[in-house]
Amino acid sequence: MATKSGEGFSSSFGAIMAAAGSAVGLGNIWRFPYICGKYGGGAFLLVYICFVFFIGMTLMMSEFVIGRRTGEDPMKAYPKLRPHKPGWRFVGLAGLFTCFLILAIYLVISGWTLNYFWESLNGTLAGIADGDFGVHFNDFASSPFRPVLFIVLFLVFTTVVIIGGVEKGIERVSKLLMPILVVLLLVLCVRSLTLDGASAGIAYLFQPDFSKLTGEGILAALGQALFSLSVGMGVMIVYGSYLPVDDNILKTSVWITVCDFAIAVLSGIAIFPAVFACGQDPTGGPGLVYQVLPMVFNSFGGVGRLFSIVFFLLLSLAALTSAISLLEALTQWLSNEKISRTKSAVLMSVAVVFLAVVASFSFGDGIWSGVKIGGMQMFDLLDKLTGTILPPICALLTIIFFGWFMKKDDIIDELSNHGTVKIGYFDVFYYFLVRLVAPAALLIVLISGLIN
Ligand code: PFF
């Protein structure tokens, strides 16, 4: 199907799978459940739903419009829409810089996940005693060689897909992996919900505890909503430039958002009932997936190994389709600078692997754990920057551009596919959400988060 940038997705379904592949990732399965539990379960969920549907989805639609209207990468798209104000290209640059940082930390965690998949397959995890999982994880993640090996392996898979191209690489892999991912997740949910004592996990996830919903929790909800939908960083501008010209952007954005939200909630349903049923601590934080869950799987007996394989495969596949979108954003930009796609992908991969290795060495008791910036280890700093600070800043600039500097007629023309698609009450939506609510909410939450 025709796209403005020449290259592109072959159908709306392919585009939805690719963009949902970007959105569904470690953020949904690894991060959402523990943040939700930490900040008050159902209370957090309520705030999160508002951020996802009112702010995240608005941003997604805006990025798709910017991308498809221009057919350009984020650095060129902004100046193309405001030719006499080239300074806007720095918003694109800030987004790409954020993508680079996210990809680095993403690779570290994906490397752990791939290692755990391997250790589930070869039986290592099944042979570990309950009390030793913490030590096992720390020894592994802090060691210099093994995590790097898996980081590189994961990056090679990602780079190969990118070199394959938008339609034959990204779209094809996403169309294959996303349905597999949903099936694997449903299998885990059924297992988890049928365990004795599962209801305590459901209560933990859904029962609102407003006393835990602090200002920090609200900022975390916003950061998580943006991170989870992959918006604010320009990745959806990139995918927007690959959208077929007759794709219905509103519909596509709703589908992706619903899919991303549903998978986050299903991940919580797959994880918490099992954790409670096995009498484990649900507040394990980031270690939940690598320390608590393997213990839970072992308690299932013989079939536990199979569930462990399924879970870490699921997490690896989800991480892969997200890493693909991050590397694609960086590759598209470099290859627009007259470098071939293959060379661009390889150059970007080499550059990002250095940062990933630094982050890995600085994790836990790693060999560079003593190196600190602003009192934080490199890994924690990257996590904070990419999880809570940079995405809201980039998102705020993007939505201000979209609402206040882009021509409204252009937006309506693009959203309605030149008047051929009905866009209902978009006018009201536009003035309220795009121009006022989203920028104000982003600004307030950002400032209060930075002050605290
Ligand atoms: N949305 C992905 C997740 O939830 O894991 C992470 C991500 C991918 C964030 C792409 C940002 C991005 F541009």
Side-chain angles (χ1 to χ4, degrees):
M1 230 181 247
T3 66
K4 275 224 177 111
S5 59
E7 255 197 304
F9 301 122
S10 68
S11 63
S12 293
F13 176 70
I16 292 175
M17 287 296 109
S22 169
V24 174
L26 296 170
N28 302 60
I29 305 168
W30 169 72
R31 208 145 165 263
F32 172 81
Y34 82 77
I35 298 193
C36 183
K38 180 173 170 193
Y39 292 115
F44 177 90
L45 206 58
L46 281 179
V47 178
Y48 182 72
I49 289 177
C50 294
F51 283 149
V52 162
F53 285 94
F54 290 124
I55 298 183
M57 200 168 78
T58 306
L59 265 150
M60 182 179 292
M61 188 201 70
S62 319
E63 290 195 25
F64 280 157
V65 167
I66 295 173
R68 191 172 67 177
R69 188 84 186 161
T70 59
E72 297 285 2
D73 65 68
M75 283 275 277
K76 294 207 178 77
Y78 289 97
K80 192 164 178 177
L81 292 166
R82 294 289 292 185
H84 45 288
K85 293 247 167 38
W88 279 104
R89 72 157 40 90
F90 287 105
V91 179
L93 182 65
L96 288 175
F97 175 69
T98 309
C99 286
F100 189 81
L101 299 187
I102 295 180
L103 185 55
I105 196 158
Y106 221 80
L107 287 174
V108 177
I109 302 165
S110 306
W112 298 345
T113 309
L114 208 54
N115 172 68
Y116 268 60
F117 171 59
W118 175 241
E119 290 189 340
S120 307
L121 270 179
N122 72 13
T124 308
L125 291 183
I128 295 176
D130 274 6
D132 294 342
F133 277 103
V135 176
H136 178 75
F137 175 71
N138 276 334
D139 283 354
F140 157 68
S142 309
S143 73
F145 298 115
R146 209 175 153 92
V148 174
L149 177 75
F150 282 95
I151 287 174
V152 172
L153 196 63
F154 186 86
L155 186 57
V156 169
F157 291 145
T158 312
T159 313
V160 167
V161 177
I162 296 296
I163 291 174
V166 177
E167 188 187 335
K168 300 230 163 64
I170 303 174
E171 182 177 343
R172 206 197 293 163
V173 168
S174 308
K175 279 204 272 203
L176 175 75
L177 296 189
M178 291 309 287
I180 297 181
L181 190 141
V182 172
V183 173
L184 294 180
L185 186 58
L186 289 177
V187 169
L188 288 172
C189 284
V190 170
R191 170 72 249 192
S192 185
L193 284 173
T194 49
L195 290 167
D196 279 346
S199 55
I202 294 295
Y204 180 76
L205 191 61
F206 293 116
Q207 238 169 37
D209 179 353
F210 285 95
S211 67
K212 286 200 204 153
L213 187 65
T214 54
E216 186 188 304
I218 294 177
L219 181 67
L222 178 66
Q224 174 64 15
L226 302 177
F227 185 87
S228 186
L229 288 175
S230 308
V231 292
M233 281 66 81
V235 163
M236 292 302 170
I237 296 185
V238 174
Y239 278 13
S241 75
Y242 300 149
L243 279 181
V245 285
D246 58 355
D247 184 67
N248 182 337
I249 288 183
L250 283 176
K251 225 188 201 169
T252 297
S253 307
V254 172
W255 268 111
I256 299 166
T257 308
V258 168
C259 178
D260 185 66
F261 177 73
I263 290 189
V265 173
L266 284 175
S267 303
I269 295 177
I271 292 175
F272 284 120
V275 168
F276 273 88
C278 301
Q280 296 300 330
D281 176 16
T283 54
L288 186 67
V289 160
Y290 303 99
Q291 296 171 29
V292 180
L293 279 188
M295 223 182 311
V296 169
F297 293 134
N298 275 1
S299 73
F300 291 173
V303 287
R305 186 156 157 197
L306 187 65
F307 283 104
S308 179
I309 294 172
V310 169
F311 179 78
F312 287 109
L313 177 64
L314 164 77
L315 200 55
S316 303
L317 298 183
L320 182 64
T321 47
S322 299
I324 286 170
S325 70
L326 289 161
L327 187 59
E328 174 61 21
L330 300 167
T331 303
Q332 186 204 37
W333 164 68
L334 199 59
S335 61
N336 279 351
E337 304 298 315
K338 311 269 174 298
I339 302 176
S340 76
R341 183 174 184 84
T342 305
K343 254 196 208 145
S344 307
V346 173
L347 279 174
M348 277 301 174
S349 302
V350 171
V352 80
V353 88
F354 280 106
L355 188 61
V357 169
V358 172
S360 174
F361 284 176
S362 75
F363 180 80
D365 302 323
I367 51 174
W368 288 350
S369 56
V371 181
K372 294 200 171 143
I373 303 177
M376 290 173 106
Q377 286 181 342
M378 192 66 183
F379 182 92
D380 298 332
L381 181 68
L382 276 179
D383 189 39
K384 176 135 201 203
L385 280 176
T386 57
T388 34
I389 298 180
L390 290 175
I393 294 178
C394 296
L396 179 63
L397 294 171
T398 306
I399 203 75
I400 288 178
F401 177 85
F402 188 76
W404 294 89
F405 292 89
M406 217 178 138
K407 289 197 192 92
K408 190 180 165 201
D409 290 348
D410 284 354
I411 298 176
I412 292 192
D413 185 54
E414 197 58 46
L415 275 179
S416 68
N417 291 349
H418 317 296
T420 55
V421 170
K422 284 211 183 77
I423 53 172
Y425 295 102
F426 180 74
D427 254 16
V428 185
F429 167 82
Y430 174 78
Y431 277 107
F432 259 122
L433 278 183
V434 177
R435 299 193 79 165
L436 298 174
V437 179
L442 282 163
L443 198 65
I444 293 169
V445 177
L446 189 65
I447 292 175
S448 61
L450 290 177
I451 292 172
N452 281 327

